[in-house]
Amino acid sequence: MSERAPATAPSSEPSPESPSAPTAAAPLTAARRTGLLVTFVLGGLTALPPLSMDMYLPALPQVTSVLHSPAATVQLTLTACLAGMALGQLVIGPMSDKWGRRRPLLIGMVVYVLATAICALAPTTELLIGFRLLQGLAGAAAIVIARAVVRDLYDGVEMARFFSTLMLISGSAPIIAPLIGGQVLRFADWRGVFVVLTGVGLVLTLMVWRSLDETLPPERRQTGGVGAALRTMRGLLGDRVFTGYTLTGGFAFAVLFSYISASPFVVQEIYGASPQAFALLFGVNSVGLIAVGQINGKLLVGRVSMDKTLAVGLGIITAAAVALLLMSTGVFGEVGLVPIAAALFVLMSAMGVVLPNTNAQALMRTPHAAGSASALLGTSSFLVGAIASPLVGIAGEHTAVPMALVQLTCALLSVTCFLALCRPWQTREAAA
């Protein structure tokens, strides 16, 4: 792989005084940076994937019972949605570079609403898996275009800070979603969860239509067809450092998603917690992620190297995964829910520095193709997460060992990619 960034890319960690977005977008940038409504809309778009998955988590055991399917099969409904979001980004990201951000986003949101409504009517697990795949394919527009819009408007340290601000909004989704899902299950079955998600998608679609203007002017759009898009992606992957941050974030996301996929069974089936108790624990962990994300954006970014912060976050995730594996294999004897929940809290909290910093570091190298770069970032994360999801349930519903083993493996792979491809010490040497 080539070791240098594309010719138009800025340095890995520019100073706060470095040039921001291209001049062609300057008027729009100045007008939109202070818009709280636009920030809320972008946060809502990035929150759509966790809403689509986490609101459904408390219902997984019920789906297993009602549709008479094993846990591993029902977990494929999560995998299908995740895989759809991964593959959809590969298509929608380049489309947004060519046609602008607004039109592909609105089309994707309309299809998402329709697919989610159909999920509520699925009579079998197989059909539910298929509709969840369609839901994910359409919902990919939300997350990939939201990231591209941020790249249109921001650069450098400001972009990293804005990603941390978005985490305040999108990070609230894992708190609210399981709580809503648990309460819905008190009055309806699992299908009611998809009815609520349909309403959320419809509201968000209307907000995008009314409040989010186009952020990619015609003069900055890509030309050419599929071949040009593939060449652009090949060029991005040829940048060793961009690929390194992409894979680092992808494997870190797999650690997170293995927790998302396995925790309903670990907490409810192994430790006997109710759906409401699970939702509460899940929410507490998400508070940790939000809090650390705000510390990253408000206190660390611009004062501490993003690579140093990222390295510390990866170290904490790895240590938490080791602790979970030791506890789940009985090294410390029989442990209760509290030690397991504490380790999961530490693991989730550290994601607050890992995820925004990997996104910012990667996108800072790609101002010329933000949609395609965002697609590669999202696809790597969602595909690795989709692979990790069924693995955590491979030994059944009565042991947490597969979850902990998958988490540790992915954490070690994330650290390896960071050290072998990003090589942060070379960035410091070049700056010196």
Side-chain angles (χ1 to χ4, degrees):
M1 287 184 181
S2 169
E3 295 200 6
R4 58 187 182 84
T8 57
S11 61
S12 180
E13 289 200 35
S15 67
E17 292 80 15
S18 63
S20 207
T23 55
L28 178 60
T29 300
R32 286 299 183 188
R33 279 187 175 178
T34 56
L36 292 179
L37 182 58
V38 172
T39 301
F40 184 78
V41 171
L42 293 175
L45 291 174
T46 58
L48 195 62
L51 281 174
S52 300
M53 292 180 287
D54 297 348
M55 194 181 298
Y56 173 62
L57 291 180
L60 282 177
Q62 187 184 105
V63 176
T64 301
S65 175
V66 172
L67 297 183
H68 308 290
S69 296
T73 301
V74 172
Q75 282 174 327
L76 288 177
T77 61
L78 290 174
T79 302
C81 185
L82 198 63
M85 288 183 178
L87 298 175
Q89 291 183 67
L90 286 177
V91 177
I92 298 170
M95 283 174 56
S96 73
D97 282 339
K98 181 178 181 180
W99 294 325
R101 314 301 186 201
R102 182 175 166 84
R103 183 168 41 164
L105 177 57
L106 284 172
I107 293 173
M109 290 302 300
V110 169
V111 176
Y112 172 87
V113 170
L114 295 175
T116 306
I118 295 173
C119 284
L121 305 175
T124 66
T125 306
E126 292 74 19
L127 287 175
L128 181 60
I129 292 172
F131 291 139
R132 288 281 278 173
L133 177 64
L134 178 60
Q135 182 192 40
L137 288 168
I143 188 168
V144 69
I145 293 180
R147 266 197 307 260
V149 168
V150 173
R151 186 62 188 91
D152 292 339
L153 302 180
Y154 290 90
D155 192 17
V157 170
E158 288 185 345
M159 180 167 57
R161 285 175 175 157
F162 193 79
F163 274 127
S164 294
T165 299
L166 288 187
M167 186 166 288
L168 178 62
I169 302 172
S170 62
S172 301
I175 301 174
I176 299 171
L179 292 173
I180 295 175
Q183 294 305 311
V184 169
L185 293 178
R186 296 172 67 95
F187 305 101
D189 64 3
W190 61 270
R191 299 179 191 277
V193 174
F194 288 106
V195 173
V196 174
L197 278 173
T198 301
V200 171
L202 183 59
V203 170
L204 193 55
T205 302
L206 293 174
M207 292 180 67
V208 169
W209 178 59
R210 292 180 59 88
S211 304
L212 189 63
D213 295 334
E214 181 59 63
T215 61
L216 187 67
E219 61 269 20
R220 291 176 52 206
R221 296 178 187 176
Q222 299 285 321
T223 58
V226 175
L230 293 176
R231 285 192 296 272
T232 299
M233 288 189 173
R234 186 172 66 239
L236 293 172
L237 292 174
D239 174 19
R240 170 180 56 79
V241 180
F242 171 82
T243 301
Y245 285 118
T246 299
L247 292 177
T248 299
F251 284 116
F253 185 83
V255 176
L256 175 63
F257 196 75
S258 63
Y259 157 73
I260 291 173
S261 181
S263 59
F265 298 98
V266 171
V267 174
Q268 295 181 78
E269 300 297 329
I270 298 177
Y271 293 99
S274 67
Q276 290 72 36
F278 162 72
L280 179 61
L281 289 174
F282 199 91
V284 169
N285 290 342
S286 299
V287 168
L289 185 149
I290 293 173
V292 173
Q294 296 313 295
I295 292 172
N296 177 68
K298 305 298 183 184
L299 299 179
L300 300 180
V301 171
R303 295 180 176 88
V304 181
S305 163
M306 278 189 271
D307 281 330
K308 288 183 180 178
T309 306
L310 180 56
V312 172
L314 291 173
I316 293 173
I317 288 172
T318 304
V322 170
L324 282 167
L325 183 59
L326 293 177
M327 286 188 287
S328 61
T329 53
V331 172
F332 302 124
E334 186 175 349
V335 298
L337 178 59
V338 173
I340 295 290
L344 290 173
F345 175 81
V346 172
L347 184 147
M348 277 281 281
S349 298
M351 292 293 172
V353 296
V354 172
L355 298 182
N357 286 349
T358 52
N359 283 340
Q361 290 284 64
L363 287 174
M364 272 192 279
R365 303 178 68 85
T366 59
H368 58 294
S372 296
S374 178
L376 290 173
L377 278 169
T379 297
S380 65
S381 298
F382 282 78
L383 277 181
V384 177
I387 294 171
S389 175
L391 295 178
V392 299
I394 200 168
E397 306 170 24
H398 306 295
T399 175
V401 172
M403 178 190 74
L405 188 59
V406 170
Q407 287 175 333
L408 180 57
T409 301
C410 292
L412 292 174
L413 288 172
S414 183
V415 171
T416 300
C417 291
F418 179 61
L419 295 177
L421 297 177
C422 301
R423 302 176 190 174
W425 61 88
Q426 291 183 350
T427 301
R428 292 195 296 271
E429 290 173 0

